[in-house]
Amino acid sequence: MPFGSLSVSNTAIPQYAPPYPVNGSDYTTKTVLIVVYQTSLQCVRHFVPDMLELDDEPEVSVMLLDHSMTSFGPYNEYVHSVKVKYKGDTFDYFLSLILDNDSPISCGREQFGFPKKLGNVELALKTGSTVVQGYVERPTGQKIVEVGFQPEQKVMGKMEKSIPGLNLRVIPSVISGQSPSVKELVPVNIDMEASEVWQGSGSICFPEPSSFDPMHEIKVVRYEKATLLRNASLAIRLPSKVFQL
């Protein structure tokens, strides 16, 4: 009997029509809204793997991003993360990402371990008030997160920063009772720059909480900084190592 002729390579499946690039990705992002707050250890520790360290009042970040163009096409995205330490290094450990484009969902989950799901994310600068507002729906019609931002001052100059992120990448075994086929921590740097930066006050609420996406359990103890970025660009490159578990 004849065999197939497709040579298996290090690209996404289906290999005859890969759904996403595997050499990193680039983003042109119209708006990034970042709200940072402190939570209690009890509110977040059950979401964090047991090899990662947390502060007594961990720092949590919520981001809404309006990507006008990316390596996957345009989409909107919500990101929820918490500061952790692993072997002495500090990372933003990603808890939940919701977005409206299937290609970066597949890439983020399969290649990098981002906990991505499909949903609806909106971000509106013009609201008829001083408040910029965004929200997340999952499923569409159930508003599980609302984020607000009131600008207070524009920061002179552009911003450049790198976010050292960390994901738990697990691929379950198809054999019942077996350990995962893949179990590792993946460090992912997100390089970000923006030509326009605003600082102000942030607000987060969870109007229609869902046990299927329980970020409402990570309650606000105290707000920290809030930032709005305009005309931003982001990049994710392949890491040089992973941490096997």
Side-chain angles (χ1 to χ4, degrees), residues 85-223:
K85 284 187 177 180
Y86 181 67
K87 295 186 175 180
D89 293 324
T90 300
F91 299 92
D92 280 13
Y93 177 72
F94 294 105
L95 299 165
S96 176
L97 291 88
I98 295 175
L99 53 151
D100 53 12
N101 182 326
D102 66 347
S103 180
I105 290 176
S106 298
C107 177
R109 292 179 66 91
E110 292 177 11
Q111 192 175 20
F112 295 105
F114 284 103
K116 295 193 173 192
K117 294 181 180 180
L118 185 66
N120 183 48
V121 181
E122 300 290 343
L123 181 57
L125 300 186
K126 188 177 179 180
T127 62
S129 74
T130 60
V131 177
V132 173
Q133 188 178 50
Y135 62 85
V136 183
E137 295 178 326
R138 183 177 150 80
T140 299
Q142 182 170 351
K143 198 174 290 186
I144 59 173
V145 184
E146 278 188 345
V147 183
F149 172 79
Q150 184 165 290
E152 295 170 358
Q153 63 178 355
K154 185 179 179 182
V155 178
M156 299 303 295
K158 67 179 184 179
M159 184 213 72
E160 295 183 5
K161 67 180 296 186
S162 182
I163 300 173
L166 191 67
N167 290 314
L168 175 65
R169 181 170 178 257
V170 172
I171 298 179
S173 173
V174 296
I175 301 173
S176 178
Q178 295 295 308
S179 297
S181 298
V182 175
K183 186 172 67 170
E184 61 192 15
L185 292 171
V186 181
V188 183
N189 276 355
I190 302 174
D191 296 319
M192 182 184 303
E193 63 179 47
S195 62
E196 185 178 330
V197 183
W198 288 83
Q199 291 182 339
S201 301
S203 174
I204 299 167
C205 67
F206 306 93
E208 300 176 74
S210 168
S211 59
F212 303 114
D213 296 282
M215 292 298 98
H216 62 278
E217 296 181 14
I218 307 175
K219 301 182 186 302
V220 177
V221 170
R222 181 177 60 260
Y223 285 107

Side-chain angles (χ1 to χ4, degrees), residues 24 38 47 63 80 82 96 133 138 148 166 224 233 243-244:
Q38 308 292 134
F47 293 108
M63 293 197 296
H80 213 140
V82 61
S96 176
Q133 188 178 50
R138 183 177 150 80
L166 191 67
E224 298 293 338
S233 62
F243 306 114
Q244 301 291 340

Side-chain angles (χ1 to χ4, degrees), residues 50 54 69 77 84 166 180 211 223 226:
D50 57 10
L54 290 158
M69 184 51 65
E77 187 167 24
V84 301
L166 191 67
S211 59
Y223 285 107

